[in-house]
Amino acid sequence: MRFARQDAGRHDFIFAGGALFVALAVFAVDTFTGIEGAIAVLYAIALLLAAEAVNRLGLILLTALFMVFSLASFFFTHAPDPDFATFLRLCVALAALAVTTALLLRNERARSALLRTNAALRESEERYRSIFDRTRVALWERDYSKLLDYITGLKSAGVTDMKAYVQDHPHVLGECVSKIEVVDANEAAVELLGSFTADVHGGVMHRIIPTDSCTFASLLQAIMDGATYFEDNAEVFNEAGERRLVLLGISFPTDPSAFNRVVVSMVDVTQREEARMALAEAQAELSRASKAATVGALSASLAHELNQPLGAITVNSQTLVRWLERDPPDIDAAKRSAERILRDSNRASDIFKSTRSMMLSTPKESETIDLERLITDTLTLMDHDLQRDRTEVEIIHKTKIPRFKAVRLEMQQVLINLISNAAQSMSASQSQKRLVTISLDSPGEADHILIAVRDTGDGLGDDAQQNLFKPFFTTKDNGMGIGLSICRSTIEARGGTLDGNNHPDGGAIFEIKLPKETANA
């Protein structure tokens, strides 16, 4: 830097000294010799020399000084009575100084603008190089000019679909790859694919791009179509010959002559794609496991729901046999047993149909239901079980319940589950009074109707209250733990709720709340 300043100072001194020498020489010749001519015009030479050493203000001051010299010489040599030719030469000299100064000032402005432009270009180039070199995205500058000329030639020959052309001429891909040259590569590019990717003289592109790359064929089509940007997932090879999955981005200039420096970016997405594929496999495995779990849950649900009608069929079959074995046979009693067998068989068939529609995700047929009639029919179905457990049922009608629009079998299964659980709870607790109370209420100010089933057993333990509706949780030795879970799902599907708690007066109470709009449907 110091030597540069010294060189600049020496340059200014030489030109300033030269300008002063020329000016003094012109003044001496113009003043002290008899040469007739526009000698003062030669001051322009001094201005040209001085322009290399002084700034704009200095140039203007020198011009004024040289004009003073010219006037001084004129008045000293031709005053007091100059002729016209002499006066004309003076005017020409002064005009030459003015024009020269104007041209030098304009040149200085242009030179300053050019210096500013060059400085801005250098700054821009430095910023670009800094970004190019330091960014963590793999970047290349590549020469696509030969490839552009080749594709332009194909287009001129009538080729419009590069993918189809490549399929018909497989060697074209390799030929196109060989026409791409590396101009520069940043550190991230070297880290991604290896040091050979920065070899600007090695012709390494054939080692990076697979010859069967569909992405490269799409890239050729983008160049043929005049696209300004191309982005796609691609497979490339690193220095060790390993395939890497990358997100490829290329910006193409609009000026064909600028294809000698095309910026190419790559982002390594190998781990992301591997994780995505692993996630897809895990989701497929989870789907298979979920289907298996669903089949298991449906099987458990089906076994649970069929237990009551099949048990009733068994008992009624035994009763039928006893009535027929009497002497004489009691035909009327046998007929009633057969009717109950038929009724329970139909109910088992309905359960199968309901389960099948659940598996097939087919909509279930709703019907208008009289809740009081439904409870009466349900108790009739459970008559044998209730008698066996010595359980009484009391129905309390607090208000009149409107009719329902629902699936009859579903609501019946919910009631059977709740009543059966209540009876079994009291039987297990050895309660002296085994009473199931079913309360029906539809408060006018509330937005729901209430169905409550209460027993007189020992109530729910802490563990039972926390896990009551979880699938496969049970407090019974031979229970499956799926009944209450099915009940809650059924009620919630109708927009209602099912909760279970201990009653303040003892025993457990389960409350069904259904929105009135469902009931009034």
Side-chain angles (χ1 to χ4, degrees):
M1 183 68 69
R2 186 184 66 183
F3 293 112
R5 286 197 296 269
Q6 290 177 349
D7 290 341
R10 188 179 299 110
H11 174 275
D12 292 345
F13 177 78
I14 291 173
F15 277 91
L20 180 61
F21 175 78
V22 171
L24 293 175
V26 171
F27 180 76
V29 172
D30 194 25
T31 306
F32 301 110
T33 67
I35 299 175
E36 295 293 333
I39 301 300
V41 172
L42 298 177
Y43 283 119
I45 298 175
L47 285 177
L48 293 174
L49 293 173
E52 295 293 327
V54 299
N55 57 17
R56 293 170 60 85
L57 179 60
L59 191 64
I60 294 173
L61 292 176
L62 284 176
T63 301
L65 178 63
F66 293 162
M67 286 183 174
V68 170
F69 283 177
S70 298
L71 291 172
S73 296
F74 175 78
F75 285 112
F76 183 78
T77 57
H78 298 91
D81 188 23
D83 56 24
F84 178 75
T86 303
F87 182 76
L88 183 61
R89 287 195 295 271
L90 173 65
C91 293
V92 169
L94 294 178
L97 287 174
V99 171
T100 301
T101 303
L103 292 175
L104 288 173
L105 291 175
R106 189 180 68 174
N107 182 67
E108 176 62 22
R109 285 196 299 271
R111 180 172 175 272
S112 298
L114 182 60
L115 289 175
R116 288 194 299 270
T117 301
N118 288 336
L121 287 174
R122 284 195 301 270
E123 183 180 353
S124 177
E125 179 68 16
E126 289 174 0
R127 285 199 303 267
Y128 168 75
R129 297 313 307 180
S130 176
I131 295 172
F132 183 86
D133 292 332
R134 297 178 185 178
T135 183
R136 298 314 303 158
V137 176
L139 295 176
W140 284 265
E141 284 183 333
R142 295 179 182 171
D143 186 349
Y144 276 73
S145 56
K146 295 179 181 178
L147 177 61
L148 177 63
D149 293 340
Y150 180 76
I151 293 178
T152 303
L154 292 178
K155 189 174 182 179
S156 301
V159 178
T160 58
D161 189 342
M162 283 301 300
K163 290 184 177 180
Y165 186 76
V166 166
Q167 288 180 352
D168 296 336
H169 306 82
H171 67 281
V172 168
L173 275 183
E175 188 173 350
C176 289
V177 168
S178 65
K179 294 183 181 298
I180 302 174
E181 297 178 359
V182 175
V183 177
D184 196 4
N186 65 359
E187 292 183 5
V190 174
E191 292 176 5
L192 175 62
L193 298 182
S195 59
F196 82 104
T197 58
D199 187 357
V200 298
H201 303 294
V204 298
M205 295 307 300
H206 68 280
R207 295 176 56 187
I208 298 174
I209 304 174
T211 56
D212 59 346
S213 174
C214 294
T215 303
F216 188 66
S218 300
L219 170 61
L220 299 179
Q221 184 66 50
I223 296 175
M224 176 173 283
D225 295 339
T228 58
Y229 187 75
F230 177 80
E231 182 177 284
D232 199 356
N233 291 322
E235 285 186 343
V236 295
F237 290 109
N238 64 10
E239 193 168 16
E242 300 170 337
R243 282 182 180 263
R244 308 297 295 174
L245 298 174
V246 298
L247 178 62
L248 175 67
I250 304 178
S251 296
F252 293 110
T254 55
D255 183 4
S257 63
F259 265 69
N260 59 339
R261 292 184 69 178
V262 175
V263 178
V264 179
S265 67
M266 288 186 188
V267 178
D268 190 356
V269 294
T270 304
Q271 293 183 346
R272 187 192 73 180
E273 292 300 311
E274 290 176 349
R276 185 185 63 79
M277 290 186 289
L279 177 61
E281 292 177 0
Q283 288 175 337
E285 184 65 26
L286 180 61
S287 177
R288 290 191 291 269
S290 177
K291 290 179 180 179
T294 301
V295 172
L298 286 173
S299 300
S301 171
L302 189 60
H304 181 275
E305 300 299 327
L306 289 176
N307 184 57
Q308 197 276 336
L310 292 179
I313 290 173
T314 300
V315 171
N316 286 318
S317 299
Q318 294 171 347
T319 303
L320 174 60
V321 172
R322 285 199 300 272
W323 291 127
L324 292 177
E325 286 179 346
R326 285 197 172 193
D327 189 17
D330 191 336
I331 301 301
D332 292 335
K335 183 179 179 182
R336 288 194 296 272
S337 296
E339 289 173 349
R340 287 194 292 271
I341 291 173
L342 180 61
R343 178 198 65 194
D344 292 325
S345 298
N346 289 333
R347 183 160 166 263
S349 177
D350 291 339
I351 292 172
F352 272 116
K353 291 178 181 179
S354 177
T355 303
R356 182 175 182 275
S357 65
M358 184 186 303
M359 294 182 67
L360 297 177
S361 299
T362 55
K364 301 175 183 179
E365 296 182 2
S366 299
E367 57 182 297
T368 303
I369 298 173
D370 184 338
L371 183 58
E372 296 180 10
R373 175 65 181 275
L374 178 64
I375 293 174
T376 300
D377 293 344
T378 301
L379 294 176
T380 300
L381 290 172
M382 302 181 66
D383 183 59
H384 178 270
D385 293 338
L386 294 174
Q387 288 182 13
R388 181 195 60 201
D389 295 330
R390 294 180 290 109
T391 300
E392 297 180 5
V393 178
E394 180 183 5
I395 303 174
I396 300 176
H397 302 83
K398 294 184 178 181
T399 56
K400 183 174 178 59
I401 303 298
R403 289 177 175 267
F404 282 86
K405 191 72 172 179
V407 180
R408 180 182 181 85
L409 180 63
E410 288 182 348
M411 293 302 300
Q412 193 173 64
Q413 289 301 116
V414 170
L415 292 172
I416 289 174
N417 271 291
L418 296 180
I419 296 171
S420 296
N421 286 346
Q424 292 169 11
S425 174
M426 293 184 294
S427 178
S429 64
Q430 302 296 321
S431 300
Q432 295 298 320
K433 181 182 180 183
R434 301 181 180 180
L435 175 65
V436 177
T437 304
I438 302 176
S439 301
L440 308 177
D441 192 13
S442 179
E445 69 280 2
D447 59 354
H448 63 270
I449 65 170
L450 177 65
I451 305 170
V453 179
R454 178 194 168 193
D455 61 55
T456 56
D458 293 338
L460 303 171
D462 293 338
D463 190 36
Q465 289 190 64
Q466 294 179 0
N467 303 287
L468 195 58
F469 295 99
K470 290 184 178 179
F472 306 110
F473 171 79
T474 181
T475 58
K476 306 172 189 175
D477 294 336
N478 60 346
M480 301 185 67
I482 199 170
L484 288 177
S485 175
I486 295 173
C487 291
R488 171 171 274 188
S489 298
T490 300
I491 296 301
E492 289 179 347
R494 294 293 164 186
T497 61
L498 171 59
D499 295 306
N501 295 287
N502 287 323
H503 195 276
D505 297 332
I509 181 170
F510 287 82
E511 294 182 335
I512 300 173
K513 292 181 180 179
L514 288 171
K516 283 187 175 180
E517 56 267 23
T518 301
N520 293 326

